[in-house]
Amino acid sequence: MASSSSIFGRMKDPGLMSCFSPSISTHRCRKQALNRVLAVMAPMQPQRSPATTGSVKHAMSMTEKILARASEQLHLAPGENVWVNVDVLMTHDVSGPGTIGIFKREFGQNAKVWDREKIVIMPEHYIFTSDERANRNVDILRDFCTEQNIKYHYDIKDLGNFRANPDYKGVCHIALAQEGHCRPSEVLLGTDSHTCNAGAFGQFATGIGNTDAGFVMGTGKILLKVPPTMRFILDGEMPKYLLAKDLILQIIGEITVAGATYKSMEFVGSTVESLNMEERMTLCNMVIEAGGKNGVVPVDKITLKYLEDKTTLTFEPVYSDDCARFIQEYKFDVSKLEPLVAKPHSPDNRALARECKGVKIDRVYIGSCTGGKTEDFLAAAKVFLASGKKVKVPTFLVPATQKV
Amino acid sequence: MAAGDRPMTGEILLSLPATILSLSSTFNLRFPSRPSFPKCPSFSRSPPEPLLSTAPRAAVTPSSPSPTTFHGPCYVIGDNIDTDQIIPAEHLTLVPSKPDEYQKLGSLALCGLPSSAYPVPFVLSGAASTPFPIVIAGANFGCGSSREHAPVALGAAGVRAIVAEYYARIFFRNSVSTGEMFPLESEETVIWKECTTGDIVTVDLDERWLTNHTTGKEYRLKPIGDAGPVIEAGGIFAYARKTGMIASASTA
C-alpha cells in the first residue's frame, strides 16, 4: 500500500515493467510575488497507518478510479503501470495522417481499426488554406475513414463555404463535447495536447503522439502510468469580473509551467460547482500548460444537464474517496482574486491585469479551444458593449465550432 | 539494405512489416545487452531490411567508439524549450510516417529557436541534418504541444541523445514510444549554463556520464528508469510484442 509520502506506489505486477516517466526530479518553483497571499498550500497529509476497513485501504482519487475501471483492476495506486482500455480516440488533420501511417505499417496495410465507433476523426487545424499538403492531409483522413467505415468523421469538402459542410464542426476539443463524445468515467485520448479539456466531464482525457495513437488504433489499449493527484480547492463566490481563465492562470502562476508534470489536477470546491460546463472546460483545457497529465472536475447535475441531449450512452460517475491521498492540495479564496494576464513569454508569467494597465495592445485574439466558446464571446460582448462598441485595435474572433 | 552495409550505431531503421523476419522490433535501435536491466535480452540479431536509411551522418566526427556511447559536438539550449521552437506549427503538414517528409522534418529541427538567443543554427541553411548529435538542454524540455513531429524532427536530424534537466511529459513519452533518441536526464541542475554549443562531449549510457572534453567537466546521468525496457525493446510496438500484448508483425 502506498505511503502518503511516496509518489509512486508499489507495482502490482513486476512483469509489467515500464512506462514513460523519467525518475522524479525536483525543480525550482518560481513564485510570483503578489501583494498578499491569495493561495494557501495545505500541508501534506500526515502519515496514516493502514486501517483494517476496506474503504481506507482502497481509497482512490477520481483519476485512479477511472484508470482502475479502464484497466479492469479493483484498485490502483499512483506509479503503477497498467494497460488501459480506451473508450474514444480522437485525431485531426495534423496528426491523423502520421497516426494512420504508423497504424498501417505496424498492423499491416489491410488491418482494421479496433472499433470503428470509438475513433473520432476531425479535420480542423489547417483547413481554409490553399496549401496543397494541408489539403492532402484532409484527403488522407477521408480515404482512411471510407476504407475503415469510421462512424464519426466530421469531414469538410467545400473549402469555399464552411456552412456548406454539414459534418464539419470546428475545433476538435469543443466539438468533441458538443457532439457527445465526452462522457464521465471514460478514457479519451487525442493526438493534441489540449485533449485534457474533456476532463471537465469527469473522465480521464490526455494528449498523446502519433505512435501511441497508432498503437491504440490497432489495439484499443494504451500503457499508462497512474499519476498522483494534485487537488485544487476553489471556494468563494466568483466575482463578476472574473472568468474561469483567470482561475486557471492563477493556478498555473502558482505552480509554474512544470508544476503539474506527470500529475493529475483535480478541481473541486464551491466555485467549481458554480461553473458551467464551458467554464469547467477552460479550467481543464489549460492543465497541459502546467505540465499536467490530465485534469478532472467531479460530475454533478450541471454535467448531467449538459449531457442530456448529447448522448444516449450510459455512464457511471466516480468520485474521489474522502480519505484519498493527494500529493498536494491548494486552496483558493476566489472572492479575493483579480483578473490576470499571462505576460510574454510563458503561461506562468502571471501578473494582475491592473498592473499591466499601461501596456499598449497591438492585436486582440478571442477564440480557439480555450477561449472560443459561447460563454467566452458573451463575456467579451459585455465588455465590448460597456466600452463604447468600438474596437481600437485589430481584433480576431475565432469561434471554436459552427455551433458557437 | 545492401550486403556488407552495417547501420551506424543508434541509427533508426524503419522496416516494412512484411520483411521483418523473426524480429519483434520495428524500430531497430541498436542496443547492446545491459547488465543493469536483467529482464532484457541481449541484442545480437541481424538488422531488418530498412524502408529508408536515414540521412548521412557525415557531420558527426568522429564516429562513436562503442555502441553505448555517443560522441561529438553538442548543441546547448536553455529552459522551457517548447515544441513550437523544436518544429514550428507551419511545418506540421509534413507527415512523419512518409519517408521524404520525415527527412524534411529533420532539416527543420529547432528552426523555431530565436536567432538572437541562438546565433548558431542547429541545421545549417540548406543542409539535411545537424552536425550536433547531442543536445544539452535545461528544464522542462519539449513542453507545449503533443506533436510527435518534435522528437521525430530531432531524431531525423541526427540527434542521438538529449541530456536535459527534465522533460515535459508528452515529449518524453513520444521520444520513448518512437525510439527516436535517448531522452536522458542529468543529476545536477543547470548544466547547460556550463556548456557551450560546439563543445565536444561524450555520452556514456552504460556508465551514465556526460563528459565535456572542452571544459573538462563530467556530469552524472540519471538512470533511464521505467522507460528503459520500452526504449530497449525499440519503442512501444516492439515492447508490446515482446510482452505478448500484440502479435508479432509477421502474423498481423
Side-chain angles (χ1 to χ4, degrees):
Chain A
M1 166 126 169
S3 67
S4 62
S5 57
S6 73
I7 294 167
F8 295 139
R10 268 185 305 118
M11 293 216 314
K12 282 239 162 76
D13 180 0
L16 260 186
M17 280 198 59
S18 78
C19 202
F20 300 93
S21 68
S23 44
I24 286 292
S25 52
T26 53
H27 56 271
R28 294 152 289 143
C29 243
R30 287 183 289 113
K31 287 269 190 182
Q32 294 285 340
L34 289 184
N35 290 333
R36 40 178 187 208
V37 174
L38 296 173
V40 172
M41 182 168 141
M44 292 281 285
Q45 292 171 357
Q47 182 87 21
R48 286 180 195 249
S49 50
T52 50
T53 57
S55 60
V56 173
K57 203 168 179 166
H58 295 287
M60 288 193 279
S61 70
M62 248 180 99
T63 295
E64 289 154 29
K65 284 189 178 181
I66 296 169
L67 293 179
R69 167 181 291 178
S71 59
E72 297 166 30
Q73 311 243 14
L74 282 176
H75 180 247
L76 281 183
E80 294 193 49
N81 298 296
V82 286
W83 288 101
V84 169
N85 295 325
V86 178
D87 294 289
V88 178
L89 172 70
M90 183 279 296
T91 189
H92 48 48
D93 51 305
V94 168
S95 309
T99 300
I100 291 165
I102 288 171
F103 168 73
K104 285 183 175 285
R105 189 176 60 216
E106 296 294 335
F107 294 102
Q109 292 295 324
N110 299 323
K112 292 288 167 212
V113 298
W114 106 93
D115 190 325
R116 58 169 283 274
E117 297 195 8
K118 292 189 175 171
I119 297 177
V120 179
I121 304 233
M122 292 184 161
E124 43 83 89
H125 259 62
Y126 303 143
I127 303 299
F128 301 105
T129 172
S130 54
D131 184 302
E132 273 178 20
R133 250 196 329 248
N135 295 337
R136 169 208 67 180
N137 290 343
V138 176
D139 292 340
I140 290 175
L141 294 184
R142 186 177 310 111
D143 292 342
F144 185 72
C145 288
T146 308
E147 169 200 304
Q148 300 280 337
N149 195 15
I150 298 290
K151 186 170 181 186
Y152 300 108
H153 174 213
Y154 299 102
D155 197 7
I156 179 158
K157 289 185 176 127
D158 184 345
L159 298 185
N161 175 14
F162 73 90
R163 285 201 185 85
N165 299 282
D167 298 326
Y168 174 70
K169 299 296 164 195
V171 173
C172 55
H173 306 300
I174 308 308
L176 276 174
Q178 289 178 341
E179 298 308 310
H181 294 298
C182 301
R183 296 173 291 261
S185 303
E186 288 195 0
V187 171
L188 185 152
L189 302 176
T191 55
D192 191 283
S193 57
H194 288 112
T195 306
C196 47
N197 185 82
F201 291 86
Q203 65 176 144
F204 180 91
T206 195
I208 56 174
N210 299 355
T211 301
D212 280 336
F215 186 89
V216 175
M217 237 181 211
T219 63
K221 292 183 193 295
I222 190 167
L223 187 61
L224 284 178
K225 187 172 216 162
V226 179
T229 300
M230 295 173 83
R231 200 173 225 209
F232 297 91
I233 305 167
L234 302 163
D235 281 321
E237 195 179 320
M238 186 92 150
K240 285 201 277 286
Y241 44 78
L242 281 193
L243 291 175
K245 182 82 177 270
D246 295 296
L247 301 181
I248 189 65
L249 283 181
Q250 179 76 33
I251 291 171
I252 297 173
E254 206 67 39
I255 66 175
T256 81
V257 287
T261 301
Y262 281 93
K263 298 173 192 155
S264 178
M265 295 174 73
E266 188 174 307
F267 303 102
V268 296
S270 57
T271 317
V272 176
E273 288 160 24
S274 73
L275 299 177
N276 62 30
M277 288 314 295
E278 296 200 343
E279 291 171 306
R280 295 176 187 193
M281 281 194 258
T282 303
L283 279 187
C284 292
N285 183 291
M286 291 189 75
V287 156
I288 185 62
E289 256 64 65
K293 185 156 180 162
N294 72 302
V296 280
V297 174
V299 173
D300 58 15
K301 52 185 190 313
I302 294 180
T303 326
L304 299 176
K305 186 90 179 75
Y306 183 95
L307 288 171
E308 242 173 32
D309 58 344
K310 294 188 177 60
T311 181
T312 51
L313 294 179
T314 56
F315 47 78
E316 199 187 304
V318 293
Y319 302 90
S320 290
D321 292 325
D322 287 334
C323 32
R325 292 197 161 86
F326 299 98
I327 194 170
Q328 280 156 307
E329 268 194 9
Y330 284 81
K331 291 191 206 300
F332 292 86
D333 181 351
V334 171
S335 63
K336 298 199 167 66
L337 298 182
E338 292 188 34
L340 294 174
V341 166
K343 295 194 294 188
H345 294 272
S346 177
D348 64 359
N349 194 7
R350 176 188 71 182
L352 295 174
R354 65 178 159 83
E355 283 171 354
C356 305
K357 249 195 317 214
V359 175
K360 183 177 167 298
I361 306 281
D362 297 304
R363 269 197 258 199
V364 167
Y365 177 99
I366 304 175
S368 290
C369 54
T370 318
K373 308 183 285 296
T374 312
E375 287 289 321
D376 302 307
F377 285 111
L378 285 174
K382 286 194 187 117
V383 174
F384 179 67
L385 291 171
S387 65
K389 297 197 205 174
K390 258 187 123 58
V391 292
K392 297 195 173 85
V393 290
T395 299
F396 298 82
L397 305 179
V398 184
T401 65
Q402 290 219 49
K403 276 193 184 141
V404 171
Chain B
M1 193 169 81
D5 273 11
R6 261 189 86 250
M8 280 187 66
T9 313
E11 191 164 60
I12 317 297
L13 304 173
L14 304 176
S15 336
L16 287 164
T19 60
I20 294 175
L21 308 169
S22 53
L23 299 171
S24 55
S25 160
T26 304
F27 292 97
N28 185 19
L29 207 58
R30 302 285 276 176
F31 216 103
S33 61
R34 290 165 61 106
S36 51
F37 294 103
K39 286 197 169 28
C40 293
S42 61
F43 284 64
S44 53
R45 52 196 172 165
S46 52
E49 195 158 39
L51 179 58
L52 94 126
S53 51
T54 49
R57 312 273 195 204
V60 177
T61 56
S63 56
S64 310
S66 80
T68 60
T69 65
F70 305 119
H71 180 91
C74 68
Y75 193 84
V76 182
I77 41 186
D79 291 336
N80 295 315
I81 300 294
D82 62 49
T83 48
D84 212 49
Q85 291 174 296
I86 299 174
I87 185 78
E90 65 199 273
H91 301 301
L92 297 186
T93 49
L94 294 165
V95 174
S97 55
K98 291 182 184 295
D100 54 336
E101 295 182 24
Y102 174 88
Q103 305 272 34
K104 184 98 173 87
L105 281 170
S107 70
L108 296 164
L110 287 172
C111 70
L113 288 176
S115 50
S116 49
Y118 299 98
V120 178
F122 184 67
V123 176
L124 293 172
S125 171
S129 59
T130 182
F132 307 100
I134 294 151
V135 172
I136 297 180
N140 207 20
F141 184 74
C143 57
S145 128
S146 66
R147 61 191 73 160
E148 196 168 276
H149 305 69
V152 163
L154 291 168
V159 174
R160 296 286 207 282
I162 306 177
V163 178
E165 199 175 305
Y166 62 90
Y167 297 88
R169 188 196 142 250
I170 306 180
F171 178 88
F172 185 87
R173 195 187 165 94
N174 287 342
S175 301
V176 170
S177 287
T178 57
E180 282 284 354
M181 74 242 144
F182 288 92
L184 304 164
E185 287 184 328
S186 56
E187 285 193 351
E188 282 176 59
T189 59
V190 208
I191 69 166
W192 65 273
K193 288 194 175 162
E194 296 180 358
C195 301
T196 311
T197 293
D199 285 354
I200 304 297
V201 303
T202 302
V203 171
D204 187 328
L205 291 172
D206 266 355
E207 300 301 318
R208 293 197 280 120
W209 283 109
L210 165 71
T211 307
N212 185 329
H213 301 287
T214 308
T215 62
K217 287 195 157 157
E218 282 186 323
Y219 305 96
R220 200 96 175 93
L221 301 175
K222 289 187 182 172
I224 196 80
D226 286 344
V230 180
I231 299 180
E232 286 202 13
I236 183 63
F237 280 95
Y239 177 76
R241 291 199 173 97
K242 206 170 89 181
T243 54
M245 175 53 64
I246 60 178
S248 64
S250 54
T251 62

